[in-house]
Amino acid sequence: MEQSWEEAVRWYRAAAEQGMPRAQCNLAWCYEYGKGVEQNWKRAVHWYRQAADQEDPRGMFCMGICCKYGRGVEQNWEEAVHWYRRAVDAGSAAAMCNLGVCYERAKAGSGTPRRQPGGTDRRRSGRTRPPSATWDICMRPERV
């Protein structure tokens, strides 16, 4: 069998449309990274939200990332924290870490990040993180 992202998307979509959260997240990831489909953040968010609305920890975690960075939705740290908290309640260790990062980077009481636009962290002036920083990934499609 040869690798085929297009064929993977076809099967992820079939399962996602039947309401399977894991397939919804995998399909969202394909839209996020343009694997087998044209990259489309709005569609990625749609499928992550479908999974999140079913209390799927990965879907909620990924919704937090989308809100934190403004990918497919308006950037909103408070909404990101909301999704991370829900994912933590569902047992996501990755969300625990990202929630900690949100608290670390928030100004006291304001909920706004101490990060300058463009990803530059004032504590590391001049250094930037790539847009898809590895510490906050939406994880590759899960394997059986």
Side-chain angles (χ1 to χ4, degrees), residues 68 77-78 81-82 84-85 88 95-109 111-114 123:
K68 181 178 175 183
W77 276 60
E78 287 79 16
V81 167
H82 162 79
Y84 288 150
R85 282 189 178 139
V88 165
M96 292 174 194
C97 181
N98 281 19
L99 188 56
V101 169
C102 288
Y103 278 103
E104 174 203 342
R105 299 204 175 169
K107 291 182 182 177
T112 56
R114 283 193 308 209
R123 292 169 289 175

Side-chain angles (χ1 to χ4, degrees), residues 16-109:
E17 288 173 351
Q18 291 188 35
M20 183 181 185
R22 181 174 169 183
Q24 291 165 338
C25 286
N26 287 359
L27 181 58
W29 185 90
C30 290
Y31 277 113
E32 183 177 346
Y33 289 94
K35 296 289 189 175
V37 291
E38 187 173 324
Q39 185 179 29
N40 185 319
W41 279 103
K42 291 198 182 295
R43 286 190 180 159
V45 166
H46 167 80
W47 287 110
Y48 284 137
R49 187 177 300 273
Q50 293 294 308
D53 287 347
Q54 295 180 72
E55 302 300 316
D56 180 74
R58 184 173 166 218
M60 292 184 280
F61 170 74
C62 291
M63 281 302 303
I65 289 173
C66 291
C67 292
K68 181 178 175 183
Y69 290 108
R71 297 177 178 164
V73 294
E74 187 172 324
Q75 185 177 26
N76 183 326
W77 276 60
E78 287 79 16
E79 188 72 9
V81 167
H82 162 79
W83 285 112
Y84 288 150
R85 282 189 178 139
R86 285 187 61 191
V88 165
D89 289 345
S92 171
M96 292 174 194
C97 181
N98 281 19
L99 188 56
V101 169
C102 288
Y103 278 103
E104 174 203 342
R105 299 204 175 169
K107 291 182 182 177

